[in-house]
Each structure stands twice: as structure tokens, then as C-alpha cells.
Amino acid sequence: MTRETKLQKWANEMTGYWKESRKLQIELVQKNAESQGLRSELAALRMELSLERQAKQNSDALVSELQVENASLKAQLVQKTVELNATLAEVLQLLDNELDDVEVSM
């Protein structure tokens, strides 16, 4: 092989390498763009997750408050039921006494 042929062969190889390098550079730019898009999507998902966690914490706090209020209302209901039963017992006793008085006077 002559020197000129070797140089031509080398130039052809370099052209092939250059084309391959250019192709890989373009692919790298595309992959970087995809990667950036995925990073943005990941950041958005992390933000959404953070908001969902905050909403859950707020809901949990509200549930706790409502449970305390519910327990208080149940206690009040029990107390009022006891008071109502005592009042009804007094009314029945008074009615019984009046009936006895009416029967005695007849």
C-alpha cells in the first residue's frame, strides 16, 4: 500500500469516526433532554407527594379533633339522659302521689 492509499484509508476511517461521534453527540443531547424532562416530572411528583402528605396530616388532625368533640358530646348525652331519667322518675312519683291522694279523697 502506498502512502497516499494509507492516508486516504485513514481519512475515510476518521470521517466514519467523526460521523459516529456526531451521531453519538446528537443522541447524548436527546438523552440529556429526556433526563431533564424526567427530572422536572420527578420534581413535580415530589411536590405533589408533599402536598398530599400535608393534606393527610391536616385530615388526621381534623379527625383527632372530631374524635375528641365526639367523645365530649357522647359524655354530654349520657349526662342529659341520666338527668332526663331522674326527671321522669320524679314526674311519675308525683303522678302516683296525686293518684293516691285522689283515691284517698274519694
Side-chain angles (χ1 to χ4, degrees):
M1 241 200 261
T2 67
R3 181 174 181 203
E4 188 177 301
T5 307
K6 287 180 183 179
L7 285 174
Q8 184 63 42
K9 182 179 176 187
W10 178 81
N12 289 339
E13 286 176 4
M14 290 299 115
T15 301
Y17 292 145
W18 182 83
K19 287 179 181 178
E20 183 67 23
S21 174
R22 188 71 183 137
K23 179 182 167 187
L24 290 173
Q25 285 176 343
I26 291 169
E27 188 177 326
L28 181 60
V29 167
Q30 290 171 342
K31 295 297 180 183
N32 282 338
E34 283 179 36
S35 177
Q36 185 59 38
L38 291 173
R39 283 187 187 116
S40 296
E41 186 178 341
L42 179 60
L45 289 171
R46 283 182 175 158
M47 178 60 76
E48 185 178 335
L49 178 61
S50 176
L51 293 173
E52 290 295 326
R53 284 181 177 161
Q54 184 62 42
K56 184 183 182 311
Q57 287 175 348
N58 292 343
S59 294
D60 290 347
L62 181 58
V63 165
S64 294
E65 289 174 22
L66 291 174
Q67 286 174 335
V68 168
E69 186 177 344
N70 188 33
S72 173
L73 290 172
K74 283 182 180 180
Q76 289 176 18
L77 178 62
V78 167
Q79 179 62 33
K80 294 299 180 185
T81 301
V82 167
E83 290 173 9
L84 178 62
N85 285 338
T87 302
L88 288 175
E90 285 181 42
V91 168
L92 286 175
Q93 184 64 40
L94 289 171
L95 289 173
D96 280 345
N97 289 343
E98 281 197 29
L99 280 176
D100 287 342
D101 289 345
V102 168
E103 287 177 0
V104 169
S105 62
M106 286 186 161

